[in-house]
């Protein structure tokens, strides 16, 4: 009898394109895990910033704190850690651009703007997505009217430990799961079996795998040093290319409410 599939890790990423926080349980909201990618760093034109263009963002470490998180710089200890609350207040507002969307956002503190501008060596601002904002998942793949935070396109990203192990077996040096920035990590089963999933349940909560996630240059950035390389994207592209995209993980929509816990059983209900 096959071993059960289990939820082995949960991650939230409070600031888009910065590091994640591993948690043992997480509240599910309509936009994804609570506190996931509700903050965004934008440049002087209010355009979103990511490691794709600014690899040094990987050097900004995110650590848990009471009702918020701490930002620190891995290579600049003279920059004292910055406390950021999980939620902002609507005292200052502006419009920001993320991909093809322009959305209303609340400004963070001036202290945060100054800290980030110093840490990244360029003018930038920290902004927050309030619950009033509606940013929809791709409409052609979204019959349930799902919404998303500042994540690229979907509320959740699912990845399997067997897929990572199979990839690492092909690499000259293994890479950790943080190269792929999943929210939900499951263990068990076979490599890439999640490609065939459609509806599945984690614990008591229903989810839907919409489509495979196309990966970008961010997977080649070492999250400890911010150095870029060719791997794992080069190897992954040799056998995981679909059309013009290189795939790892599944974009997922969820139930909009509930709680997930590490150790929850994962049950596949239907297949694509």
């Amino acid at each position: 009898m096959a071993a059960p599939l289990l939820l082995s890790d949960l991650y939230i990423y409070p600031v888009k394109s910065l590091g994640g926080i591993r948690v043992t349980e997480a509240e599910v909201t309509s936009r994804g895990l609570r506190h996931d990618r509700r903050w965004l760093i934008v440049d002087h034109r209010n355009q979103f910033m990511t490691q794709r263009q600014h690899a040094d963002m990987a050097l900004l470490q995110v650590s848990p704190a009471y009702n918020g998180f701490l930002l620190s710089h891995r290579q600049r200890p003279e920059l004292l850690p910055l406390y950021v609350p999980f939620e902002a207040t609507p005292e200052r507002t502006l419009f920001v651009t993320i991909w093809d969307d322009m959305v209303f956002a609340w400004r963070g503190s001036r202290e945060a703007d100054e800290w980030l501008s110093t840490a990244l060596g360029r003018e930038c601002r920290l902004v927050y997505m309030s619950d009033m904002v509606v940013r929809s998942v791709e409409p052609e793949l979204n019959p349930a009217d799902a919404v998303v935070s500042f994540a690229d396109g979907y509320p959740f990203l699912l990845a399997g430990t067997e897929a990572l192990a199979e990839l690492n077996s092909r690499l000259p040096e293994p890479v950790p799961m943080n190269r792929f920035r999943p929210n939900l990590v499951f263990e068990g089963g076979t490599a890439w079996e999640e490609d065939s999933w459609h509806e599945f349940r984690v614990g008591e909560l229903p989810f839907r795998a919409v489509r495979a996630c196309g990966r970008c240059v961010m997977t080649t950035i070492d999250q400890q040093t911010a150095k870029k390389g060719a791997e794992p994207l080069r190897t992954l592209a040799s056998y995981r290319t679909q059309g013009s995209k290189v795939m790892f993980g599944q974009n997922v929509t969820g139930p909009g409410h509930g709680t997930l816990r590490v150790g929850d059983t994962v049950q596949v209900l239907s297949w694509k």
Side-chain angles (χ1 to χ4, degrees), residues 98-99 101 103 129 133-137 146-152:
I98 174 168
W99 297 115
D101 299 326
V103 300
M129 178 182 285
V133 173
V134 176
R135 181 174 176 242
S136 296
V137 170
V147 294
V148 64
S149 62
F150 284 128
D152 277 348

Side-chain angles (χ1 to χ4, degrees), residues 10 25-34 156 184 202-207 254-261 264:
L10 279 168
E25 68 175 56
E27 180 183 344
V28 173
T29 76
S30 60
R31 300 170 196 272
L33 298 182
R34 189 181 180 198
F156 306 92
L184 316 179
V202 183
E204 298 300 319
L205 303 183
F207 292 85
H257 59 86
T259 301
L260 292 173
R261 296 176 179 85
D264 281 347

Side-chain angles (χ1 to χ4, degrees), residues 6 8 10 27 44 50 76 80 98 104 138 140 153 156 168 174 178 211 216 226 233 245 249 266 270:
L6 297 176
S8 57
L10 279 168
E27 180 183 344
H44 65 286
T50 75
R76 297 182 60 181
L80 296 179
I98 174 168
F104 176 75
E138 298 172 294
E140 65 274 17
F156 306 92
N168 279 334
N178 67 10
R211 63 175 176 84
C216 69
L233 200 58
K245 295 183 177 180
V266 179
S270 65

Side-chain angles (χ1 to χ4, degrees), residues 14 56 59 61 69 79 127 133 147 156 159 167 188 196 217 221 233:
D56 58 336
L59 297 176
Q61 186 171 2
F69 53 95
L79 275 178
V127 303
V133 173
V147 294
F156 306 92
L167 169 61
S196 65
V217 70
I221 300 171
L233 200 58

